[in-house]
Amino acid sequence: MLAKARVKQGAERVRWMTHDVGLPLPFPNRSYARVLSALVLEHIPPARLTPFFSELGRLTLPDGRIVVTAMHPAMFVKGTSANFRDEAGAEIRPQSYPATLSDYTTAAVNAGLGIDRLAELVVDDAVAARNERAARWAG
Ligand SMILES: C[S@@+](CC[C@H](N)C(=O)[O-])C[C@H]1O[C@@H](n2cnc3c(N)ncnc32)[C@H](O)[C@@H]1O
């Protein structure tokens, strides 16, 4: 994923790094107005969720915002977890940890964060029409 991202337009403006989010992030306290975690939550062991959210809080300015996206936990019930195909077409299925919405929200609150908004979103026709890859998740 990083190799593909690095050759995208504008990639030279991004500082790329490889880092295990189960470990403290190498950034100073209170240094960002916005922090985004996209689709990584399910790969964090349940016992590490509160430390993970604490770490996001540590990086964020007091009036900043953190946005976290995750595959909906209902997908675990349906037997789905994140999976990819490599260049050769072989399936890659990174370790995922089933969790519930309350596991995630409780971990965030226990880390001292407030929740402004919690949205459970479905891929609808408009999203599916905009993104070919999303279409397989319609409904
Ligand atoms: C579904 S992808 C999301 C990638 C990207 N954030 C996005 O939104 O397109 C999940 C990514 O999390 C990475 N990942 C899994 N465990 C991780 C960990 N402990 N630390 C950092 N990244 C991890 C995987 O390698 C994979 O690239």
Side-chain angles (χ1 to χ4, degrees):
M1 283 186 177
L2 286 178
K4 285 190 177 267
R6 280 188 173 107
V7 296
K8 285 191 170 179
Q9 190 178 6
E12 69 283 354
R13 296 198 306 269
V14 177
R15 190 172 135 212
W16 301 96
M17 67 173 62
T18 303
H19 185 82
D20 178 358
V21 295
L23 301 172
L25 289 154
F27 306 119
N29 293 351
R30 307 281 184 215
S31 47
Y32 296 99
R34 299 287 183 270
V35 172
L36 169 66
S37 165
L39 298 172
V40 183
L41 214 47
E42 72 165 278
H43 302 301
I44 299 173
R48 298 296 308 164
L49 285 172
T50 296
F52 173 73
F53 281 111
S54 295
E55 190 60 4
L56 300 190
R58 180 185 69 75
L59 303 179
T60 308
L61 291 166
D63 60 348
R65 290 286 180 275
I66 300 166
V67 177
V68 177
T69 72
M71 194 169 79
H72 195 285
M75 300 297 276
F76 297 124
V77 179
K78 294 175 83 172
T80 300
S81 63
N83 59 92
F84 313 93
R85 297 223 168 253
D86 69 13
E87 302 281 338
E91 188 186 76
I92 299 174
R93 197 172 282 270
Q95 171 81 58
S96 290
Y97 301 91
T100 61
L101 268 187
S102 61
D103 291 331
Y104 293 151
T105 53
T106 302
V109 169
N110 286 346
L113 303 179
I115 298 174
D116 288 339
R117 182 163 178 248
L118 178 64
E120 297 177 86
L121 306 175
V122 174
V123 175
D124 60 15
D125 290 343
V127 172
R130 281 203 309 271
N131 185 321
E132 195 181 310
R133 286 187 63 214
R136 67 190 270 235
W137 302 109

